Structures are given as C-alpha cells and as structure tokens.
Amino acid sequence: MSFTVAIIGRPNVGKSTLFNRLVGKRLALVDDTPGVTRDRREGEARIGSLKFKVIDTAGLEEAFDDSLEGRMRRQTEMALEEADVALMIFDARAGVTPMDKHFAGWLRKTEKPVILCANKCEGRIAETEMMEAYSLGLGDPIALSAEHGEGIGELFDALLPFEVEQVPDVAAKDRPLALAIVGRPNAGKSTLVNHLIGEERLLTGPEAGVTRDSISVEWEFEGQKIKLVDTAGIRRRSRVQKKLEKLSVADSLRVIKLAEVVVLVIDADVSFEKQDLTIAAHVIEEGRGLVVAVNKWDTVRDRNAMLQHIRDKLQISLPQVRGVPVVTLSALTGRGLEKLLPQVIRVYELWNKRISTSQLNRWLEHMLEKHPPPMAKGRRLKVRYITQVKSRPPTFSLFMSSRGELPESYLRYLINGLREDFDMPAVPIRIATRTGKNPYVKE
C-alpha cells in the first residue's frame, strides 16, 4: 500500500461503516450501540485506482488512565502515529458536539494532515450542520454517507495527493542510473565518455558534429550501474538547417527526457554561451538533475574569473535550481575527471529524496510564521499543510483555503526554503497547490 489512512472520531459516528465501505468487505462489526470497536483494525482499501492501507479505530473518549477507555484511546493514538493522513469523522445529523471540538483541537496540535468528513449526509438532510463544521478549524468538510456510498468521489480527490510513487524494493545500486551527456557541438562529450569508460568506444575528432545518433553505453562506477548516453551536439534552432541535424537534435532532446541526471558539457575555450543556458533550462524543465562539466580546463588562464563567471550565469539565468555543481576537467587528459561521477551520484540521490510529512509541516509552520501568505479579497490566504507526493524530482502538494491562489513569488519563497533547509541543490522542486471548495457557497 502506498500510504496509510486512520479513521478517527468519537463513538458511533460511522467509522466502521466507512472502513467496510473502503475495504469492500464487512470486516468490522457495525451496530447502533456506541463503542463496538475497541481494537484498531487494518485493511486494504481501494477507491478507483487509489490503493492504500486504512485503520479503523475505537471511538475517542476523554480518558487518559489505565481504564478500558484509556487503553482504547492509546490504540487510537498509535494508529494516528502510523498514518500519513487522518480522516476525522463527525455525525452531520447530530451536528458538531463539544466532544468533536475537543478532539478536533487535539488533532490540530498533532503534525498529521487531517481531512474532515461529515458522515450521514444522505441527500441534503444535514446541510445546516455542515456549515457548523467550519468551527472545528480543520478546513472544508467532505459530505459523506458511508452507508450509501455517497461522497466517495470527493474523498478520492482529497486522498489522491497522498499517493506516493511506487518504487520497486531494489537497492539503488542494482538499478542503472540513466545519465545523459549533452552540450553544444565539439564540446568534448564523446571524448569525456571514452575517458570515463576507459576505452575508445565512441568516434571523436576535431570536426564538429561527429556524433549523430545517441549512443548508449552500459558501465559501472564504484558498484553503481550506470547507463551512459552520449548525444549529438545541440546548436541554436536558427542554425539547424539540414534534415539530418534536425533529427539528431530531436534525438538528443528525447534522451534528456528519459534521463535521470544530465551532465552539460561546456567548452571552456568559448566560455558560457546562451545556448548552454538554453540546454540547461530545458534539462530543468524536464525535471532532471543537472551537473555542469567545464571541459578543456587546462587551456584556461584566469581560472578563478572563469569559474565565477559560470556560477554567476547559472545563478542569474536558472534561479529555480540553485547550487548546480560545476566540475572543471579535461576530457582529453582525464585531469579532474575523478570529481565528476561523485557529483552525479549525489545529485541522483537528491533527485530521489523523500521528506516525511511531519518534518515538512514543522518546516511549513516556521515558514508561515516568518513570512505569512499574502491577502486575497481582503482576507489572508490560509495554508493548511504540505506533503510530498512523489520524488524523481521532489514534488509536493500544498493544501490551502479556497479564497484565492498563492502568487508565484510566494511559491518561489517556499521552494527556495525547501531547497535550503532540506539541502536539495541542483534538482528541480515542484509544488502544486490544492484548494478545498465549499459546495454550499453560491458562486
């Protein structure tokens, strides 16, 4: 299962009914008598294409001793600790009770994302009580009828961001790292590949454009399998006239799309041109990790000035990916080559990085205090919580109120904070905002 959901609420609000609905079987006993469920029960749930583990819990009681109720409460706390997200259920027909408010306050203090669900909303009999749910401070409620299966589609939408990318349980070194070598013509890409693998595998020469097809080479570095792909040089589109070169460039762009980390080879003799930045921007746009290799370094006279020039260009032209590693080397002599692959592997690890939801929400609280979101329609935008939905590259969902959209400048502030606080240079970071919509507000 890709993530875990805990169903939480006071006794007799329909938690076990919802549990049975999600797992598609009558695994949990259901009765009108409060307190039927005592132990936490786990099952494999499914809503459409979404699969996850769900935990049914005992009804929350205000008991903190060693009584039966106190022990049941501890079981619920353990379930919440295990879960990635909690569903807080309340009975919409009974309305919001003081006990609901008490436990909503307890959930707000935890670090878990919470989705508020108003159960027993058959038809429209509980519309008035639904509005009262906003007093719980858990955002927009989802109207459900666990018994009749109503509102499950809305629950699917709310749970979808928690689906994580399923990665086979295989050690990273057992999976080849897809590494593409790209750059302008005659930058020394094929010479670099030949020196890396220790043989004259690729044709090289002083003429520009010797490589036409993308050539793949299986290779290994310190136990890490690597699939190296040398590509044809990419010139500015206005200069590409011949049909064969157009095909070669298109193939190189395809290789970037299929790669995991891309090494952009720059010719130190001609410095850092606009075309280099265009290729780098394309790599980032495709969501790949980036390493810059400055070739022919042995021919450079003022090395400090050249290195500073390259780093300044990257900083100004690619602000969305700070900290791109710059490795200086000579593909012809092999000098400096030993620094390249360690940087590639480090960027690959960052590209696969995962951050727990609890860490992210502690970080988000700090970022919101330091710089609150802007105003929209006279009211401040409310950001509720954040979770990482996938890696390769790191991608996050930011849940917020429905009053307006966060401006790009604020999203950049959050992305830069993620990059700095969680040490994620050189890889793209993506944040998608999600807003809950109140169905009872007329537009």
Side-chain angles (χ1 to χ4, degrees):
M1 299 293 102
S2 61
F3 64 101
T4 302
V5 176
I7 303 176
I8 291 173
R10 62 180 178 81
N12 210 33
V13 293
K15 298 185 297 299
S16 294
T17 306
L18 179 59
F19 174 85
N20 287 342
R21 171 70 61 181
L22 293 175
V23 299
K25 301 174 185 176
R26 288 187 173 272
L27 295 181
L29 291 178
V30 176
D31 192 78
D32 289 337
T33 308
V36 172
T37 302
R38 289 181 173 176
D39 295 295
R40 52 192 167 126
R41 180 186 293 273
E42 299 179 357
E44 295 184 3
R46 181 170 185 165
I47 308 177
S49 60
L50 196 61
K51 295 180 182 178
F52 54 94
K53 182 167 84 171
V54 63
I55 307 175
D56 184 24
T57 65
L60 282 168
E61 301 276 6
E62 293 186 73
F64 299 91
D65 53 16
D66 287 329
S67 64
L68 177 61
E69 290 77 13
R71 297 198 302 276
M72 288 161 59
R73 180 191 175 97
R74 283 197 294 275
Q75 286 289 320
T76 299
E77 289 172 346
M78 290 166 66
L80 182 63
E81 190 175 328
E82 182 184 342
D84 297 296
V85 57
L87 301 184
M88 165 139 183
I89 313 296
F90 76 96
D91 184 341
R93 287 186 295 195
V96 174
T97 68
M99 193 178 288
D100 290 323
K101 291 182 179 179
H102 172 79
F103 291 118
W106 171 64
L107 283 170
R108 286 200 306 271
K109 292 175 185 175
T110 68
E111 297 164 353
K112 296 292 180 182
V114 180
I115 298 171
L116 182 62
C117 298
N119 193 27
K120 306 182 184 179
C121 284
E122 293 83 3
R124 288 185 170 270
I125 61 173
E127 283 188 24
T128 306
E129 288 76 6
M130 278 283 289
M131 297 306 297
E132 199 181 344
Y134 288 92
S135 65
L136 296 175
L138 295 174
D140 301 315
I142 296 174
L144 288 177
S145 173
E147 188 174 355
H148 297 92
E150 296 177 13
I152 300 299
E154 288 76 9
L155 184 58
F156 171 89
D157 291 337
L159 289 174
L160 189 59
F162 297 94
E163 183 179 31
V164 297
E165 185 179 37
Q166 295 299 294
V167 180
D169 189 18
V170 181
K173 290 190 176 183
D174 292 335
R175 276 196 311 273
L177 187 165
L179 175 62
I181 310 294
V182 303
R184 288 181 284 114
N186 212 30
K189 300 181 295 298
S190 298
T191 306
L192 174 61
V193 173
N194 284 342
H195 216 112
L196 281 172
I197 63 177
E199 61 176 281
E200 293 295 315
R201 173 66 176 78
L202 303 175
L203 187 65
T204 61
E207 306 87 357
V210 172
T211 302
R212 286 179 170 175
D213 291 315
S214 297
I215 307 298
S216 175
V217 180
E218 297 285 344
W219 183 61
E220 193 170 302
F221 173 77
E222 295 184 353
Q224 171 69 65
K225 294 178 181 176
I226 297 176
K227 186 177 181 181
L228 259 174
V229 185
D230 182 31
T231 62
I234 304 173
R235 292 200 296 168
R236 285 206 302 268
R237 185 176 296 180
S238 60
R239 293 188 179 181
V240 179
Q241 303 294 336
K242 295 180 181 178
K243 181 181 178 182
L244 184 57
E245 187 177 359
K246 287 181 180 179
L247 292 173
S248 297
V249 170
D251 194 40
S252 298
L253 297 177
R254 179 188 63 82
V255 168
I256 291 173
K257 193 172 185 177
L258 297 176
E260 294 169 324
V261 180
V262 175
V263 172
L264 171 60
V265 182
I266 296 171
D267 186 341
D269 288 342
V270 291
S271 186
F272 202 27
E273 293 190 345
K274 184 180 178 182
Q275 179 61 7
D276 295 314
L277 290 169
T278 301
I279 297 170
H282 182 74
V283 170
I284 300 308
E285 189 179 325
E286 290 292 348
R288 311 301 112 182
L290 178 64
V291 177
V292 173
V294 186
N295 191 24
K296 307 178 186 177
W297 192 245
D298 48 343
T299 64
V300 177
R301 291 184 178 179
D302 192 345
R303 295 182 175 180
N304 290 333
M306 171 70 79
L307 199 56
Q308 191 59 48
H309 169 71
I310 291 170
R311 285 176 174 156
D312 289 345
K313 281 274 192 180
L314 286 170
Q315 182 74 14
I316 295 167
S317 303
L318 298 173
Q320 67 271 40
V321 279
R322 295 179 179 177
V324 173
V326 178
V327 179
T328 57
L329 52 87
S330 170
L332 191 62
T333 65
R335 188 172 181 179
L337 217 59
E338 72 282 354
K339 299 179 290 183
L340 180 61
L341 267 300
Q343 289 288 0
V344 166
I345 290 173
R346 179 172 176 266
V347 169
Y348 177 63
E349 289 169 350
L350 292 172
W351 193 65
N352 283 279
K353 187 167 185 174
R354 280 200 168 279
I355 307 167
S356 71
T357 301
S358 58
Q359 282 182 291
L360 282 171
N361 282 284
R362 281 196 297 269
W363 167 84
L364 180 63
E365 188 177 349
H366 169 72
M367 294 294 284
L368 295 177
E369 286 177 3
K370 192 164 127 185
H371 184 43
M375 305 283 281
K377 300 178 182 177
R379 298 176 66 185
R380 190 166 298 283
L381 291 169
K382 183 180 178 184
V383 178
R384 292 163 58 193
Y385 59 87
I386 187 171
T387 186
Q388 185 172 359
V389 293
K390 66 184 287 291
S391 57
R392 305 164 64 87
T395 304
F396 304 86
S397 268
L398 189 70
F399 288 76
M400 52 180 290
S401 64
S402 57
R403 289 192 294 272
E405 291 187 3
L406 282 176
E408 283 295 322
S409 58
Y410 198 80
L411 287 175
R412 281 197 301 272
Y413 161 70
L414 293 177
I415 288 172
N416 290 335
L418 281 168
R419 190 179 304 285
E420 184 175 335
D421 295 335
F422 293 102
D423 188 25
M424 291 192 290
V427 294
I429 295 175
R430 295 170 175 172
I431 294 182
T433 56
R434 287 182 62 86
T435 57
K437 185 178 179 181
N438 181 2
Y440 301 101
V441 174
K442 293 182 180 179
E443 295 182 357

